Amino acid sequence: MGHEIEQARENSPVVSAVVVGAARGDPASRLRESFRSELVKKEEDVVDAGWAGGIPAQYGVAPRIRVGRNKWFNLLWLVPIGLLLLIVGIAVAKGLRELPGVQEFIAKYPGTSPLPATAPVGLPAWIGWQHFLNMFLMVFIMRSGLTIIADHPRFYWTRHSTPGKDWFRVQKPIPHDPLYTAKADSITLPNGVGLPGQRHSIGLARWWHLGVDSLWLLNGAVFFVLLFATGQWMRLVPTGWDVFPNSVSVGIQYLSLDWPVDNGWVNYNSLQVVAYFITVFIAAPAALVTGLGMSPALSTKFRRISSVFSIQLARSLHFLVFCWFVLFIVVHVTLVLTTGALANLNHMYASQDSSASWLGFWIFAGSMVVLIAAWVAATPVTYKYPRKVQRISYALIGPVQRLFEHVDSKPGQYTEKDISPYFWHNGYYPATDEYKELRAGNFSNYTLRVNGLVENPVELTLEQIRALPYHEQITQHFCIQGWSGVAKWGGVSMQTIVDLVKPSPEAKWVVFYSFAEGPDSGIYYDAQPIEQMGYHLTMLAYDMNGEELPYGHGAPLRLRNEVQLGFKMVKWIKGVEFVAHFDEVGGGQGGYNNDHEFFGYSQSI
Ligand SMILES: Nc1nc2c(c(=O)[nH]1)N[C@H]1C(S)=C(S)[C@@H](COP(=O)(O)O)O[C@H]1N2
Ligand SMILES: [Mo]
């Protein structure tokens, strides 16, 4: 139904009520004037106490899981409960081993499945290197991932991010204030845990996360190739059903504290094989797939997949993959160190089968020194050289981000029944007298100025904008912080504006200026590639969910560009300027958050 209206209105001829502002008595020179004089010229180049408007630290609460409708279980209880279960488990396992049936079972399934005759013996040096690189890179991936979570410390199962429907939170319940923002909800992480960890340092955390991810994936790809080229895969992939009874047998043996005799140099026990298999062949690929599942560009392009595998499902599963890795690391390290540490370290770090030599231990110790030094240095170095961190990471992940920007956004539409019952607010509300007066006058004196490198600059009243062909879309919003929501947006397609002003060939970027200032003063703005202005789902909205765009969501006019993250969708727009390049505007990074908080300008993932 909605789409039919949209079609009908889009096919209507351009209404001729559009006139330039000069007709309303404004001097023609104003029409050419750029709002860039209201921007802060400086780009941030360190993170210090005054950074991001001096956002004060705010700590969350202990992690909680929702049980039923509104009961919350504090996960710290898992510590005593886990200890209790361990003690009970040990007692039960010890008892079991007294039973003749269990003894027969363990004799039949001692815990190790035989390997094919062609399986390689021993661990070559490349596995040691890959193991170290994998561990080293994962430290930064996991820490920066925690900082990303801390920016919206809640998980949901559906794309609606409705308060009270979160299944996990590290933050208090959402307050009833209707204008509560997602930024206000963000939390600080204890020093040394997150990367960087300061409250709302998600811009830098994402550079770490995505940049190191690309190295981790490269390391993983090399690992997979070598695994299959050398036959080492046979040691990690279960090849018979007996892996299950053997795993149970190993479990009972471990729990009864009478451990199986292992020879990891030749063959892992079945529980190890299962754990390694899950980690290498399920968890690692799942980390990639669930990570990509959060991309606005890919979710818009592959809307059908995203309808089922929504950003929030992807985000929740991404977090559960993280939990698996944490659990794996804790158990793995504990067992490596308690089941013949010297031999185990010799296998992995010195590629030799010896339980007497200390070589493996010393190489391991050296690698730990490197890891801990990097761990300690990462946050302070990031605060001191944030632009370097950004540049290095952008060199790694930028090509993929730019590639995904060119996807077709058209499939990304939803239907009325998909509209979210709650849509988060975000950003800094406009506080200028100019905006307050306009709002008090119901925006009757509002004008949108569209100028820059165009043939026909215009200044349009809201009435004139409303007279342009109507465009409507039901689409999903992806905030960089992690929440999402679907809404119906009504207004004018950016293509209509482009046709009206006729950009000159030199115009390559389009800058949107807001009435609202950002936390570091200067008005909010964002620059976007001109190519995306022609996308079917790029529009200026003055309606939301069938009503006038509310104050909190950007009245009277806000941008929608559905291949991008939410921070690019400027609210309370007062001007649009076509420019050759954004480096001449503001701090030169392509947007307010880019100048001040190290966000990137191609944020398709
Ligand atoms: N002027 C202005 N526009 C802004 C912001 C802002 O701080 N100032 N925040 C952005 C961010 S981070 C998001 S996620 C969306 C949120 O839009 P909503 O409040 O309608 O959900 O607005 C974007 N537009
Ligand atoms: Mo956002």
Side-chain angles (χ1 to χ4, degrees):
M1 184 62 199
H3 297 296
E4 284 159 31
I5 295 172
E6 172 193 355
Q7 285 300 320
R9 297 216 204 166
E10 277 197 347
N11 293 338
S12 71
V14 173
V15 183
S16 57
V18 176
V19 286
V20 296
R24 291 178 55 245
D26 301 319
S29 66
R30 208 185 87 178
L31 193 61
R32 286 284 179 192
E33 227 170 78
S34 169
F35 286 113
R36 62 178 86 173
S37 60
E38 294 173 41
L39 301 174
V40 173
K41 289 278 178 294
K42 178 176 147 289
E43 52 168 314
E44 224 67 51
D45 56 8
V46 289
V47 175
D48 52 22
W51 175 77
I55 186 169
Q58 164 176 266
Y59 290 88
V61 299
R64 283 163 168 77
I65 281 188
R66 185 162 55 87
V67 197
R69 279 174 73 87
N70 52 12
K71 294 261 181 306
W72 290 85
F73 174 74
N74 186 330
L75 288 185
L76 289 183
W77 282 106
L78 288 184
V79 176
I81 292 173
L83 276 175
L84 200 71
L85 285 179
L86 192 64
I87 293 166
V88 172
I90 290 169
V92 169
K94 278 185 180 294
L96 280 176
R97 290 200 71 170
E98 302 295 319
L99 303 177
V102 174
Q103 285 166 358
E104 276 165 38
F105 172 74
I106 290 177
K108 188 167 177 211
Y109 297 106
T112 313
S113 303
L115 285 176
T118 53
V121 171
L123 299 185
W126 65 263
I127 290 192
W129 275 105
Q130 291 239 297
H131 179 260
F132 167 72
L133 282 174
N134 182 68
M135 169 174 72
F136 185 80
L137 297 172
M138 278 194 76
V139 165
F140 305 105
I141 294 176
M142 294 170 96
R143 288 182 57 198
S144 54
L146 285 174
T147 298
I148 293 171
I149 293 170
D151 226 45
H152 190 71
R154 309 175 186 279
F155 288 104
Y156 316 85
W157 293 122
T158 77
R159 66 173 60 77
H160 297 307
S161 311
T162 312
K165 293 279 169 74
D166 33 355
W167 66 267
F168 178 99
R169 62 175 161 89
V170 208
Q171 176 58 297
K172 296 183 205 73
I174 295 159
H176 289 296
D177 173 8
L179 289 178
Y180 183 65
T181 64
K183 274 181 190 151
D185 206 49
S186 64
I187 58 169
T188 312
L189 291 176
N191 282 338
V193 176
L195 177 57
Q198 181 163 325
R199 185 163 167 221
H200 196 46
S201 54
I202 188 171
L204 290 164
R206 276 172 56 96
W207 288 125
W208 270 104
H209 202 71
L210 296 173
V212 179
D213 275 351
S214 52
L215 298 176
W216 183 74
L217 288 171
L218 187 69
N219 191 53
V222 171
F223 182 65
F224 275 102
V225 169
L226 289 176
L227 215 51
F228 287 99
T230 61
Q232 282 286 341
W233 66 270
M234 286 179 247
R235 304 191 39 163
L236 298 183
V237 180
T239 45
W241 292 109
D242 64 332
V243 73
F244 293 110
N246 272 315
S247 296
V248 172
S249 165
V250 177
I252 296 172
Q253 294 178 67
Y254 275 137
L255 262 183
S256 66
L257 303 183
D258 180 4
W259 290 359
V261 190
D262 276 340
N263 187 2
W265 183 249
V266 177
N267 192 0
Y268 295 129
N269 72 47
S270 289
L271 206 54
Q272 275 179 297
V273 173
V274 170
Y276 295 167
F277 177 80
I278 292 175
T279 304
V280 171
F281 293 101
I282 298 177
L288 172 64
V289 171
T290 54
L292 291 176
M294 290 182 267
S295 150
L298 294 183
S299 302
T300 299
K301 158 94 187 167
F302 301 105
R303 209 265 299 143
R304 271 168 206 281
I305 299 173
S306 170
S307 302
V308 184
F309 183 56
S310 78
I311 171 185
Q312 298 307 337
L313 183 57
R315 189 169 174 263
S316 290
L317 294 176
H318 201 69
F319 172 63
L320 291 176
V321 168
F322 162 82
C323 294
W324 166 266
F325 277 116
V326 172
L327 182 76
F328 174 82
I329 291 166
V330 170
V331 176
H332 176 65
V333 171
T334 306
L335 289 177
V336 162
L337 297 181
T338 51
T339 58
L342 280 190
N344 290 335
L345 292 174
N346 272 322
H347 294 168
M348 189 50 90
Y349 287 84
S351 294
Q352 64 175 14
D353 188 22
S354 157
S355 47
S357 161
W358 281 77
L359 183 63
F361 170 82
W362 285 116
I363 298 175
F364 163 74
S367 80
M368 287 315 279
V369 169
V370 172
L371 185 118
I372 291 166
W375 184 313
V376 171
T379 292
V381 165
T382 304
Y383 289 154
K384 197 156 177 223
Y385 306 106
R387 292 288 174 200
K388 287 217 167 68
V389 169
Q390 173 172 7
R391 223 166 294 136
I392 293 168
S393 177
Y394 189 63
L396 293 167
I397 196 72
V400 181
Q401 291 184 316
R402 288 197 300 272
L403 181 73
F404 289 169
E405 276 199 316
H406 302 295
V407 301
D408 175 14
S409 69
K410 216 166 181 167
Q413 301 196 64
Y414 287 82
T415 58
E416 300 267 347
K417 69 174 189 343
D418 300 313
I419 292 174
S420 298
Y422 180 91
F423 203 93
W424 278 79
H425 283 95
N426 219 354
Y428 285 73
Y429 295 105
T432 61
D433 290 339
E434 183 193 15
Y435 179 83
K436 281 183 193 153
E437 275 165 35
L438 286 172
R439 190 177 169 215
N442 213 8
F443 299 109
S444 55
N445 288 328
Y446 168 85
T447 53
L448 171 73
R449 194 187 298 169
V450 190
N451 61 11
L453 301 173
V454 297
E455 238 174 69
N456 180 32
V458 294
E459 203 157 74
L460 306 170
T461 65
L462 209 49
E463 211 181 317
Q464 290 167 332
I465 295 170
R466 285 181 185 278
L468 291 169
Y470 193 68
H471 170 89
E472 193 174 272
Q473 65 192 40
I474 301 175
T475 46
Q476 181 175 336
H477 181 95
F478 297 75
C479 173
I480 193 169
Q481 297 186 260
W483 58 271
S484 57
V486 175
K488 179 161 81 175
W489 306 98
V492 54
S493 175
M494 262 315 286
Q495 185 62 55
T496 307
I497 304 287
V498 168
D499 292 343
L500 196 66
V501 297
K502 300 192 176 59
S504 55
E506 310 88 75
K508 295 282 184 285
W509 293 86
V510 185
V511 186
F512 296 83
Y513 298 99
S514 177
F515 284 106
E517 294 200 336
D520 288 303
S521 78
I523 59 170
Y524 195 90
Y525 80 101
D526 197 80
Q528 319 209 353
I530 197 163
E531 175 199 351
Q532 292 175 15
M533 298 303 108
Y535 287 4
H536 184 69
L537 300 181
T538 304
M539 66 176 294
L540 294 173
Y542 48 73
D543 287 340
M544 181 183 186
N545 297 335
E547 283 165 29
E548 266 178 37
L549 185 66
Y551 160 73
H553 292 297
L557 208 60
R558 63 103 40 94
L559 179 67
R560 300 298 314 163
N561 174 357
E562 310 299 357
V563 300
Q564 298 281 2
L565 284 173
F567 75 89
K568 310 221 32 129
M569 304 194 203
V570 179
K571 301 193 284 187
W572 312 289
I573 294 176
K574 65 177 171 186
V576 181
E577 185 183 10
F578 290 73
V579 300
H581 198 275
F582 57 73
D583 56 12
E584 54 195 83
V585 180
Q589 298 287 332
Y592 195 91
N593 288 316
N594 314 29
D595 288 346
H596 297 276
E597 297 178 9
F598 313 103
F599 288 16
Y601 58 82
S602 300
Q603 296 284 299
S604 59
I605 49 172

